[in-house]
């Protein structure tokens, strides 16, 4: 008997001998209803704000019903994006469009100079073929959007690729679509006088995003500015930040608003804007609803591109803001300034958007090891932050890309709007509130035996979370269950294929059946053989899979 089989059999026997355990979340797979090799969960419907006051535990309380009924939005992929369908510029940083101007060589150069992987030839070839199809080829659809469980997807005449960035309170999709003539048009709302438009959220009567104008009639050379719609009407296009202009040499100005919160008459938007030297820096837009044309652009300190005369970052963006004015975002470390072997996409929090000089505090400690990179998913009004983070810490520079896993982080104190009863759910055995990989919180201790068990899934990305605690996510699935409950368990002894699926994570409401049982690791040096992707599927996702808000 092989050592791998012995370990897997032992894991099953030990699991069977232990008392039944429960997780914090039930994994519910959704059926997209559209074609595609892979399905990704991108957004969850917001919960009723009245629920926060009446029962702050939300779906963690058994008296709350309808927790599986929140609409979920997602997208399918048959291949990776070449140039992201949702970002304003290639790789979220190329505001000269030089990388895509150089075709395949540009994709390889971006990987070499900004990511540093030893696999750049393969990385670039896969993305270049996708971009070639779109820019020069047949425009075969790749990103097909869907909304399940009662949500709605506005009709988009002639749509080729569609992305959904969020769902509004009614479950209606907010996002963009492309046609053969225009690469980005909002699903809802006009862009009169502009050539392109992107939208990210619909809240408090406003939609926010960006609009773009071509220069010299070129489809892929343009500047963009942050924009606000009131209802369906484009109301305000915001100026660039201090020193930013629409074009400076080879660089085009860029601005985008990704989220908003209205407090009384005070308006707070977050995203990024272009400043001096055409740098794209994480920004908080501030002002009043009575004069939206004069919102100020305040860049977030320590997340900006230029720090003390060095371009430490290539770009940064604030992705979300909640009612407590807590802001989250990410800053991509420049390839010229890697940290601990990686030019990582660093995740940060701003404690209070209202202060004059907001500062980024990069997530650290525990799963956020020094040099870890990831992707910010979102934050709800209980300061629960979700996204994905590196689950390995080997060198990426001159090496391979790290695997990533979804996480949740109950952030902050009561002063910052956190609720103790909600945070207590996430305490470890020592009583500490901490960040967790969501795989640890979906471990119910059951290896197999039922068709809908949590052990069929390893959660790759968490894209959104509502106040009830329901999460939209993407998982790698092993039909019937992995060989053990471990993080690095095989799928069918390494011989079964895995799939990429969209899932909801539903809180388990019965506190007597709810517990945290961290996953372990199977120890084996036996080489995987056969057709299955096994644990390597996460590497495949990293190298070829869809990246939700940014191609890194």
């Amino acid at each position: 008997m092989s050592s791998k089989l012995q370990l897997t059999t032992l894991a099953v026997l030990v699991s069977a001998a232990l008392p039944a355990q429960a997780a914090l979340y039930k994994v519910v797979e959704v059926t997209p209803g559209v074609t595609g090799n892979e399905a990704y969960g991108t957004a969850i419907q917001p919960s009723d704000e009245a629920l926060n006051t009446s029962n702050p535990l939300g779906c963690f309380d058994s008296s709350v019903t309808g927790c599986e009924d929140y609409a979920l939005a997602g997208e399918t992929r048959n291949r990776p994006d070449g140039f992201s369908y949702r970002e304003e510029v290639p790789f979220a940083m190329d505001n000269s469009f030089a990388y895509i101007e150089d075709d395949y060589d540009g994709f390889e150069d971006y990987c070499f100079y900004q990511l540093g992987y030893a696999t750049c030839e393969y990385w670039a070839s896969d993305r270049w073929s996708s971009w070639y199809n779109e820019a020069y080829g047949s425009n075969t659809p790749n990103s097909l959007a869907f909304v399940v469980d009662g949500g709605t997807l506005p009709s988009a005449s002639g749509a080729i690729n569609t992305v959904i960035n969020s769902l509004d309170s009614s479950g209606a999709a907010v996002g963009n679509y492309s046609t053969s003539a225009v690469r980005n048009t909002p699903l809802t709302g006009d862009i009169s006088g502009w050539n392109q438009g992107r939208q990210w959220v619909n809240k408090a009567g406003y939609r926010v995003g960006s609009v773009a104008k071509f220069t010299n009639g070129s489809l892929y050379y343009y500047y963009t500015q942050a924009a606000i719609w009131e209802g369906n009407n484009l109301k305000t296009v915001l100026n660039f930040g201090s020193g930013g202009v629409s074009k400076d040499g080879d660089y085009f100005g860029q601005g985008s608003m990704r989220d908003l919160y209205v407090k009384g008459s005070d308006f707070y938007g977050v995203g990024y804007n272009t400043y001096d030297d055409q740098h794209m820096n994480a920004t908080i837009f501030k002002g009043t609803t009575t004069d939206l044309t004069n919102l100020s652009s305040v860049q977030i300190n320590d997340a900006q591109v230029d720090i003390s005369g060095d371009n430490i970052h290539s770009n940064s963006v604030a992705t979300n803001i909640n009612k407590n004015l807590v802001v989250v975002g990410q800053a991509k470390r420049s390839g010229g300034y890697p940290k601990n072997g990686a030019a990582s996409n660093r995740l940060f929090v701003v404690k209070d958007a209202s202060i004059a000089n907001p500062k980024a505090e990069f997530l650290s400690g525990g799963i956020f090891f020094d040099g870890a990179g990831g992707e910010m998913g979102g934050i709800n009004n209980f300061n629960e932050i979700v996204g994905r983070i590196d689950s390995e810490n080997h060198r990426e520079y001159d090496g391979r890309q790290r695997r990533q896993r979804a996480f949740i982080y109950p952030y902050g104190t009561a002063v910052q709007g956190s609720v103790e009863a909600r945070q207590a759910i996430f305490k470890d055995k020592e009583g500490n509130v901490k960040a967790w990989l969501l795989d640890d919180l979906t471990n119910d201790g059951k290896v197999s035996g039922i068709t809908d068990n949590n052990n069929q899934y390893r959660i790759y990305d968490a894209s959104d979370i509502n106040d009830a605690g329901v999460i939209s996510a993407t998982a790698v699935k092993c039909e019937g269950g992995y060989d053990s409950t471990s993080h690095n368990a095989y799928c069918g002894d390494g011989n079964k294929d895995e799939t990429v699926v969209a899932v909801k994570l539903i809180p388990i409401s019965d506190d007597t059946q709810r517990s945290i049982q961290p996953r372990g690791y199977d120890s084996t040096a036996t080489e995987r053989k056969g057709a299955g992707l096994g644990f390597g599927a996460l590497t495949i996702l990293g190298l070829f899979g869809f990246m939700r808000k940014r191609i890194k």
Side-chain angles (χ1 to χ4, degrees):
M1 183 181 292
S2 71
S3 60
K4 179 168 63 177
L5 182 58
Q6 290 177 32
L7 284 165
T8 300
T9 303
L10 178 61
V12 173
L13 292 173
V14 169
S15 176
L18 292 173
Q21 298 289 330
L24 289 193
Y25 296 95
K26 177 183 177 183
V27 184
V28 178
E29 183 179 344
V30 304
T31 302
V34 293
T35 59
N37 293 335
E38 301 172 344
Y40 298 81
T42 63
I44 198 73
Q45 182 181 4
S47 51
D48 189 345
E49 291 186 10
L51 180 63
N52 297 353
T53 302
S54 63
N55 195 337
L57 290 180
C59 288
F60 285 106
D61 190 284
S62 57
S63 67
V64 176
T65 60
C67 293
E68 294 193 9
D69 298 333
Y70 290 106
L72 178 141
E75 301 158 16
T76 62
R77 292 292 191 277
N78 292 312
R79 58 186 184 275
D81 302 8
F83 163 11
S84 170
Y85 302 128
R86 44 176 41 91
E87 291 289 350
E88 279 79 10
V89 298
F91 313 116
M93 54 82 68
D94 181 19
N95 59 335
S96 70
F97 299 89
Y99 283 124
I100 63 167
E101 183 180 48
D102 290 340
D103 292 339
Y104 169 83
D105 290 340
F107 280 75
E108 189 173 21
D109 284 347
Y110 171 77
C111 180
F112 181 81
Y113 289 109
Q114 292 297 331
L115 303 177
Y117 304 150
T119 55
C120 280
E121 184 176 344
Y122 203 33
W123 185 98
S125 178
D126 202 55
R127 284 159 177 77
W128 160 246
S129 62
S130 188
W131 171 242
Y132 182 88
N133 174 78
E134 180 181 354
Y136 307 108
S138 63
N139 263 318
T140 303
N142 184 37
S143 180
L144 301 182
F146 60 89
V147 183
V148 298
D149 295 333
T152 57
L153 178 61
S155 61
S157 177
I160 298 172
N161 293 306
T162 304
V163 295
I164 300 176
N165 294 317
S166 67
L167 294 174
D168 65 20
S169 58
S170 70
V174 181
N176 333 304
Y177 68 98
S178 67
T179 67
S180 58
V182 180
R183 192 169 196 267
N184 276 286
T185 298
L187 289 170
T188 304
D190 74 89
I191 53 170
S192 300
W194 296 82
N195 300 116
Q196 292 188 105
R198 298 165 175 83
Q199 287 184 353
W200 290 82
V201 296
N202 176 21
K203 296 179 180 178
Y206 301 101
R207 299 173 184 270
V208 299
S210 65
V211 288
K213 185 162 287 188
F214 301 144
T215 61
N216 301 323
S218 174
L219 187 61
Y220 298 114
Y221 293 88
Y222 51 80
Y223 62 89
T224 65
Q225 292 174 248
I228 303 172
W229 287 258
E230 189 167 11
N232 294 332
N233 300 316
L234 181 61
K235 182 176 180 62
T236 301
V237 177
L238 301 178
N239 294 325
F240 296 112
S242 176
V245 293
S246 60
K247 190 176 188 297
D248 183 7
D250 294 331
Y251 296 91
F252 296 88
Q254 306 293 331
S256 178
M257 193 178 296
R258 302 294 177 86
D259 198 6
L260 72 105
Y261 183 72
V262 175
K263 186 176 183 179
S265 62
D266 293 331
F267 184 98
Y268 295 91
V270 298
Y272 72 83
N273 213 349
T274 301
Y275 295 81
D276 59 320
D277 295 326
Q278 298 298 83
H279 291 154
M280 298 159 58
N281 291 331
T283 293
I284 300 173
F285 302 93
K286 301 180 184 181
T288 65
T289 55
T290 57
D291 191 10
L292 291 174
T293 58
N294 286 318
L295 296 183
S296 62
S297 291
V298 181
Q299 73 177 18
I300 297 173
N301 295 323
D302 293 345
Q304 72 269 32
V305 170
D306 187 332
I307 299 177
S308 301
D310 294 318
N311 288 352
I312 301 298
H313 299 112
S314 65
N315 61 288
S316 60
V317 59
T319 58
N320 303 89
I321 183 172
N322 68 7
K323 72 175 184 180
N324 305 314
L325 302 187
V326 177
V327 176
V328 295
Q330 53 205 25
K332 169 67 173 66
R333 188 176 284 277
S334 170
Y337 292 89
K339 181 72 175 293
N340 287 343
S344 56
N345 200 44
R346 310 168 69 197
L347 307 184
F348 67 78
V349 174
V350 177
K351 291 182 177 180
D352 185 354
S354 68
I355 64 175
N357 296 299
K359 179 181 178 180
E361 296 185 1
F362 291 95
L363 302 185
S364 62
I367 63 174
F368 305 114
F369 60 86
D370 196 18
E375 191 80 17
M376 192 61 77
I379 182 172
N380 64 13
N381 289 318
F382 290 101
N383 295 346
E384 292 162 353
I385 302 169
V386 295
R388 67 175 186 263
I389 195 70
D390 289 342
S391 60
E392 300 177 322
N393 62 2
H394 60 256
R395 286 183 60 85
E396 289 191 317
Y397 245 67
D398 299 321
R400 60 181 173 84
Q401 187 174 357
R402 295 166 178 166
R403 295 183 178 107
Q404 294 185 331
R405 295 294 188 90
F407 73 86
I408 185 168
Y409 179 25
Y411 170 81
T413 65
V415 173
Q416 294 163 325
S418 298
V419 176
E420 183 179 355
R422 187 76 168 241
Q423 287 201 331
I425 296 169
F426 299 96
K427 288 183 177 179
D428 62 17
K429 291 182 179 180
E430 287 72 41
N432 301 311
V433 177
K434 55 181 277 189
W436 294 91
L437 295 180
L438 279 165
D439 277 344
D440 287 325
L441 307 187
T442 60
N443 180 22
D444 58 11
K446 301 173 184 177
V447 177
S448 60
I450 53 176
T451 58
D452 61 348
N453 65 88
N454 276 4
N455 195 46
Q456 293 185 113
Y457 306 94
R458 295 295 183 267
I459 312 303
Y460 167 67
D461 184 33
S463 57
D464 195 10
I465 182 170
N466 65 20
D467 291 341
V470 182
I471 299 170
S472 59
T474 302
V476 181
K477 180 183 181 182
C478 176
E479 186 72 38
Y482 284 88
D483 294 351
S484 75
T485 61
S486 298
H487 281 292
N488 58 338
Y490 291 100
C491 180
D493 203 29
N495 294 312
K496 287 177 61 176
D497 288 335
E498 295 161 279
T499 54
V500 179
V501 297
V503 297
K504 290 183 193 178
L505 302 185
I506 311 295
I508 293 174
S509 60
D510 186 347
D511 60 356
T512 66
Q513 299 296 314
R514 188 171 63 223
S515 65
I516 296 176
Q517 185 180 9
R519 296 181 188 275
Y521 288 87
D522 289 336
S523 299
T524 177
T526 305
E527 184 177 354
R528 178 188 302 109
K529 297 180 180 179
L533 296 176
F535 188 60
L538 292 180
T539 300
I540 299 299
L541 276 168
L543 291 174
F544 310 116
F546 162 54
M547 300 300 181
R548 191 176 84 89
K549 291 181 183 173
R550 176 182 304 271
I551 298 177
K552 300 187 290 297

